[in-house]
Amino acid sequence: MPPPRSSKLRYMSDHATPLKHLSSASDSDLLPEIAGLIVEALNLDVAPGSIDPDKPLYGEGLGLDSIDILEIALVVSKRYGVQLRADSAENGGIFGSLRRLVAYIGAHRTR
Amino acid sequence: MLAYRRGQPIRAGQFLADVAQGVSALGSASHVLNVCADRYLFAVGFAACLLSGKVSLLPPTHTAEVIRQLSEFAPDVVCLTDAPDCDIDLPHVALTLDATMGRVATPAVPQIDAARAAAFVFTSGSTGTPVPHRKTWSSLTADVREAPARLGLGARPCAIVATVPPQHMYGLENSILVALLNGHALCAERPFYPADIAAVLAGVPRPRVLVSTPVHLRTLMGSGVELPPLDLVISATAPLAVQLALEVEARCDCELLEIYGTTETGQIASRRPTAGAEWRLWPGVVLSKRGEETWVLGGHVEEPKRLYDVLELTGKDTFMLQGRIADLVNIAGKRSSLAYLNHQLNSIPGVLDGAFFHADEPDGERADVARVGACAVAPGLDATGLMAQLRQRIDPVFLPRPLLLVERLPRNSTGKLLQAALRALATPQPKTTRVK
């Protein structure tokens, strides 16, 4: 998939410095972290803090489309070891909002 | 075996019984927009149209504006759907399998008139109205009948798993028609996430074929999910980087073949990117140059069609792909043009002037998913309202990033808008000036 739009884009895994260890982070710490991850991965022109955690991430909300969702899934699998599945995504509506995505990752992360 | 659905095999007898149910469900409408997400149900609906003299309509997208235009093109069009919450603004015909569990005892292969119109496939055009391309049954199927020879899909019945929808030419040909015509089995699921792709593949017997795109293959490789052994991977919609092709072949332990085709022509060439960059044409297909333009005719291409890529002809039946023409926009396999997008933007009440641009340099590393941006002069509108209006008109992948509201567009002294000037508006100005 597609890393978005510009060659400026880097994956989190490309960073030279080690990532902060996060296994003890609670959802409230995860929320800004994942908001930042989304903005960086998709090269969005918004501040991570300005994403409404209760609005849909796709369509009318943040305006993401299926290409973006695949990209987020890839970043999430690399960073947290969570492989998203369509049935889990639908049943939980995890892209229904940033808060739901964060809760799902918090519950299923392996790293 | 004709299909696999949720791991269960479906034989021709059940398929034909389901098709008969589809025929009666569709009633008297003569045009059908088949939006079934379940690939088996799509095949049932498509075959029901073929057997009852109906024409399938395949538009490039399902925005409200395109649906309105479709119903102008064919006022009796109905929407065949398997989604209870389908919000397409047309009369609905529901297709579910719960009502269709019969079986034809002694199935006979239906005969279909080669010259009849099977479908209208639409391109977005440049004037705001989708352009219909009439597909006879023979023009739709002649290239697919070459699949055994050109793609090695012949000797043994394969199970075909596709990550692309059947509603566009590539998916229709390579996940529906190739199965129905050549004795392979289609898989009803359309897996999206890498873990889903791996699970659907593992749920069907070998030989397994994966029909996909550079976008999906890149994610699949990047995710690190474990894949069962595959026997062939097919990619189309955008050129695949050689490095990714090598990785796919190594991880899947099989060949990766690329198909080159267009909505207008169907598939006309193939190559194995790890063996060379040159494309080889389908039998009978001939390319010719008209000035800078490349045209195609022959084989299954019944009328001359223009190609919207820059091609270098290297031999009687070979060519190299040099890139896209400047106006073309191709994002993740969806095709549009700057002219079409500009028309939509400038049709919005309150927009005085507006233009789309390629947000990245053309032919960059991520050319297959490089987005478009837009500038607009619209004093009474804000970006959110303008975006909401655009969403009604154009496919989400073409929504501009960024969307800039400006006082005037950067036209040059002759009134022309240069892509570079538009792109510069979206790029932060460098802080230092280069000194010679």
Side-chain angles (χ1 to χ4, degrees), chain B residues 43-131:
Chain B
V44 167
F46 192 79
C49 291
L50 286 171
L51 297 190
S52 60
K54 302 179 195 313
V55 183
S56 293
L57 303 185
L58 302 166
T61 179
H62 296 152
T63 59
E65 175 73 3
V66 165
I67 295 301
R68 192 187 60 71
Q69 289 164 330
L70 267 193
S71 56
E72 278 178 11
F73 174 82
D76 71 345
V77 62
V78 296
C79 174
L80 183 69
T81 178
D82 58 353
D85 57 351
C86 174
D87 62 358
I88 288 175
D89 187 18
L90 291 174
H92 287 185
V93 174
L95 188 59
T96 60
L97 258 197
D98 304 335
T100 62
M101 293 301 285
R103 175 172 301 190
V104 173
T106 51
V109 177
Q111 300 299 308
I112 297 159
D113 179 1
R116 66 158 297 216
F120 281 101
V121 185
F122 294 81
T123 48
S124 61
S126 58
T127 59
T129 309
V131 178

Side-chain angles (χ1 to χ4, degrees), chain A residues 48-59:
Chain A
S50 72
I51 297 176
D52 185 331
D54 297 308
K55 281 206 167 154
L57 291 171
Y58 52 83

Side-chain angles (χ1 to χ4, degrees), chain B residues 40-265:
Chain B
Y40 176 71
L41 293 181
F42 177 91
V44 167
F46 192 79
C49 291
L50 286 171
L51 297 190
S52 60
K54 302 179 195 313
V55 183
S56 293
L57 303 185
L58 302 166
T61 179
H62 296 152
T63 59
E65 175 73 3
V66 165
I67 295 301
R68 192 187 60 71
Q69 289 164 330
L70 267 193
S71 56
E72 278 178 11
F73 174 82
D76 71 345
V77 62
V78 296
C79 174
L80 183 69
T81 178
D82 58 353
D85 57 351
C86 174
D87 62 358
I88 288 175
D89 187 18
L90 291 174
H92 287 185
V93 174
L95 188 59
T96 60
L97 258 197
D98 304 335
T100 62
M101 293 301 285
R103 175 172 301 190
V104 173
T106 51
V109 177
Q111 300 299 308
I112 297 159
D113 179 1
R116 66 158 297 216
F120 281 101
V121 185
F122 294 81
T123 48
S124 61
S126 58
T127 59
T129 309
V131 178
H133 302 276
R134 185 174 180 271
K135 300 286 183 180
T136 61
W137 180 239
S138 69
S139 73
L140 262 188
T141 53
D143 57 337
V144 175
R145 291 186 199 278
E146 292 296 330
R150 302 307 300 272
L151 306 175
L153 274 171
R156 288 188 294 163
C158 302
I160 298 175
V161 174
T163 65
V164 292
Q167 281 87 0
H168 301 133
M169 280 295 282
Y170 171 48
L172 178 67
E173 294 188 311
N174 290 286
S175 72
I176 303 285
L177 297 178
V178 78
L180 296 181
L181 294 172
N182 297 327
H184 304 298
L186 62 91
C187 294
E189 289 78 16
R190 181 190 164 197
F192 178 71
Y193 296 109
D196 292 322
I197 297 173
V200 173
L201 284 167
V204 295
R206 293 182 73 176
R208 303 183 180 104
V209 179
L210 177 62
V211 175
S212 194
T213 71
V215 171
H216 292 105
L217 291 173
R218 191 180 294 128
T219 320
L220 187 61
M221 293 299 110
S223 72
V225 296
E226 203 164 314
L227 291 167
L230 296 185
D231 298 277
L232 177 66
V233 177
I234 296 173
S235 177
T237 69
L240 194 67
V242 172
Q243 198 53 45
L244 181 58
L246 286 166
E247 188 181 355
V248 170
E249 290 199 342
R251 288 270 302 278
C252 301
D253 196 24
C254 67
E255 285 193 4
L256 178 145
L257 299 180
E258 271 187 289
I259 292 174
Y260 178 82
T262 71
T263 300
E264 294 92 327
T265 63

